[in-house]
Amino acid sequence: MSKAQLFKIKQAIADEQWEKALNLIEPSVSELQNNSQLNYFFVLSLYKTKHYLESLRYANDQYNFYISSLKTQKLYFSILLACQNFLDAYAFLENLKQVHGENVTNFTSELADKEAEVRQQKVTLNQKLKKFYHLGDLSITASHDVLQESKQLPATEYFQAAQFIFLDPFVHPLIRATVLENVISLKLSQKIQFYWIDKQNHEVDLAKLTRILDNQIQRKFNKLLQQRLANQDPILLEGIVKDKNLYLSYVYPFADQVFKTPELWVNYWIDDYYGRAHANTLENQTISKWQKKFQTLTSELFEN
């Protein structure tokens, strides 16, 4: 983008001519992922013209930029509230506290006010809640749509419905794990019951919960896979990482009960790909049983 064009954009922003700013930036939209200033001007103009979902999408492309200063934090948070995206708003505030040590009192107050406002819209709220409660009746594709919409539920209502989903045997494990991971951002301390892939209910302490890909086993897997495949077979590395992340979702939040020896799992996956016979050990027999379970769960994703 030329300096002259950038000057025109800045002038439009200064004059609060938001539509003009959008029109000026539009031809350079491909630069938004790498140009923070231009991204900010575009996102701000979208927000001011009430294109909230679109503004959030472009802001997410530069998330680290928007969390870096009070001005950008305020804009990003305002967009989340305008989208009624409460779950991501809670996650954003937790990020500010944990990573940046920010005081989020003002943000928290705004969030509470917006949740109260949404609770007044009882018909719409109840419709969203009803869909969320019945996730087990939906296809995987439809479930993902409802999961996105459920982010617009206030925290209290979200968690109440989530507790039913945790015990619903007809909800796919990937969906159930996603809901459980979403609850982390709410920073709750109680214990819940969770229906796992062994078809048993288990107690989970939310205060001790980490995200699906934020644990020691994940770090061990990544280190081993990088050592074995980064230089030798990067294409295979990409494929195994993708599958591994999916498997970690299936077994969440009890990955440590399944992936007790990451080294053996990595060996198994690599041998499997290259068509090599697996050693007839008790450990490999156990891995093979889990692999069949994972493959069944993955096939169900595509069947739906």
Side-chain angles (χ1 to χ4, degrees), residues 132-154:
F132 194 36
Y133 271 104
H134 289 88
L135 268 180
D137 300 333
L138 304 175
S139 67
I140 298 297
T141 301
S143 294
H144 280 296
D145 293 339
V146 172
L147 279 179
Q148 282 301 113
E149 189 178 79
S150 70
K151 290 184 175 183
Q152 298 179 330
L153 293 170

Side-chain angles (χ1 to χ4, degrees), residues 268 284-294:
Y268 189 97
N284 278 347
Q285 290 173 14
T286 301
I287 290 174
S288 180
K289 289 178 181 178
W290 277 114
Q291 278 292 116
K292 290 177 182 177
K293 178 67 173 176
F294 295 156

Side-chain angles (χ1 to χ4, degrees), residues 115-168:
E115 285 187 317
E117 179 185 316
V118 167
R119 287 191 180 99
Q120 298 302 312
Q121 303 164 6
K122 292 185 178 180
V123 174
T124 302
L125 179 63
N126 287 336
Q127 288 174 343
K128 291 176 181 177
L129 270 172
K130 186 176 181 179
K131 290 180 184 178
F132 194 36
Y133 271 104
H134 289 88
L135 268 180
D137 300 333
L138 304 175
S139 67
I140 298 297
T141 301
S143 294
H144 280 296
D145 293 339
V146 172
L147 279 179
Q148 282 301 113
E149 189 178 79
S150 70
K151 290 184 175 183
Q152 298 179 330
L153 293 170
T156 300
E157 286 78 358
Y158 185 93
F159 182 59
Q160 287 174 348
Q163 291 179 85
F164 283 89
I165 293 165
F166 295 155
L167 295 174
D168 187 345

Side-chain angles (χ1 to χ4, degrees), residues 2-52:
S2 67
K3 290 183 178 180
Q5 187 72 357
L6 183 58
F7 177 81
K8 291 179 181 179
I9 293 170
K10 288 181 177 179
Q11 190 60 54
I13 296 293
D15 295 338
E16 298 186 359
Q17 295 179 314
W18 310 115
E19 291 287 358
K20 182 179 179 180
L22 289 174
N23 291 332
L24 288 168
I25 299 172
E26 195 71 45
S28 304
V29 72
S30 60
E31 299 179 28
L32 296 179
Q33 280 192 321
N34 300 313
N35 189 324
S36 298
Q37 183 184 45
L38 197 61
N39 184 288
Y40 176 78
F41 291 150
F42 195 61
V43 167
L44 176 63
S45 299
L46 286 170
Y47 172 70
K48 292 293 187 179
T49 53
K50 298 184 179 182
H51 294 88
Y52 301 130

Side-chain angles (χ1 to χ4, degrees), residues 122-296:
K122 292 185 178 180
V123 174
T124 302
L125 179 63
N126 287 336
Q127 288 174 343
K128 291 176 181 177
L129 270 172
K130 186 176 181 179
K131 290 180 184 178
F132 194 36
Y133 271 104
H134 289 88
L135 268 180
D137 300 333
L138 304 175
S139 67
I140 298 297
T141 301
S143 294
H144 280 296
D145 293 339
V146 172
L147 279 179
Q148 282 301 113
E149 189 178 79
S150 70
K151 290 184 175 183
Q152 298 179 330
L153 293 170
T156 300
E157 286 78 358
Y158 185 93
F159 182 59
Q160 287 174 348
Q163 291 179 85
F164 283 89
I165 293 165
F166 295 155
L167 295 174
D168 187 345
F170 298 103
V171 174
H172 191 279
L174 179 62
I175 302 299
R176 195 183 300 113
T178 301
V179 174
L180 181 57
E181 186 179 46
N182 284 341
V183 166
I184 294 177
S185 62
L186 304 180
K187 302 306 293 182
L188 302 172
S189 58
Q190 56 257 63
K191 296 178 180 179
I192 55 101
Q193 291 294 310
F194 188 81
Y195 183 83
W196 198 49
I197 57 175
D198 63 354
K199 299 184 179 180
Q200 300 293 322
N201 292 338
H202 298 264
E203 185 175 81
V204 175
D205 187 347
L206 296 178
K208 297 179 180 178
L209 208 60
T210 61
R211 303 187 73 81
I212 293 172
L213 301 181
D214 181 20
N215 54 64
Q216 191 62 33
I217 290 172
Q218 159 76 346
R219 287 186 280 275
K220 285 183 180 179
F221 270 137
N222 286 344
K223 183 178 179 180
L224 288 166
L225 289 168
Q226 285 292 323
Q227 290 173 344
R228 295 286 301 276
L229 296 173
N231 295 323
Q232 294 88 339
D233 197 335
I235 294 177
L236 175 58
L237 172 62
E238 183 179 349
I240 289 182
V241 167
K242 184 178 179 180
D243 288 342
K244 177 261 301 175
N245 291 349
L246 195 57
Y247 301 160
L248 284 169
S249 298
Y250 293 158
V251 302
Y252 186 65
F254 301 114
D256 56 335
Q257 295 186 20
V258 177
F259 301 112
K260 297 177 181 179
T261 50
E263 297 86 354
L264 293 181
W265 277 90
V266 169
N267 290 338
Y268 189 97
W269 289 330
I270 293 175
D271 286 344
D272 224 26
Y273 178 83
Y274 288 118
R276 297 192 289 250
H278 302 296
N280 188 23
T281 63
L282 183 61
E283 291 87 350
N284 278 347
Q285 290 173 14
T286 301
I287 290 174
S288 180
K289 289 178 181 178
W290 277 114
Q291 278 292 116
K292 290 177 182 177
K293 178 67 173 176
F294 295 156
Q295 289 164 2
T296 298

Side-chain angles (χ1 to χ4, degrees), residues 75-124:
L75 174 58
Y76 187 81
F77 192 70
S78 295
I79 294 169
L80 288 174
L81 294 190
C83 294
Q84 295 182 11
N85 194 332
F86 297 124
L87 273 188
D88 287 347
Y90 276 98
F92 180 69
L93 295 188
E94 187 59 27
N95 200 340
L96 286 181
K97 287 188 288 185
Q98 296 295 327
V99 179
H100 296 268
E102 301 281 352
N103 185 330
V104 298
T105 303
N106 290 339
F107 287 136
T108 303
S109 177
E110 288 183 51
L111 178 54
D113 289 344
K114 189 66 176 180
E115 285 187 317
E117 179 185 316
V118 167
R119 287 191 180 99
Q120 298 302 312
Q121 303 164 6
K122 292 185 178 180
V123 174
T124 302

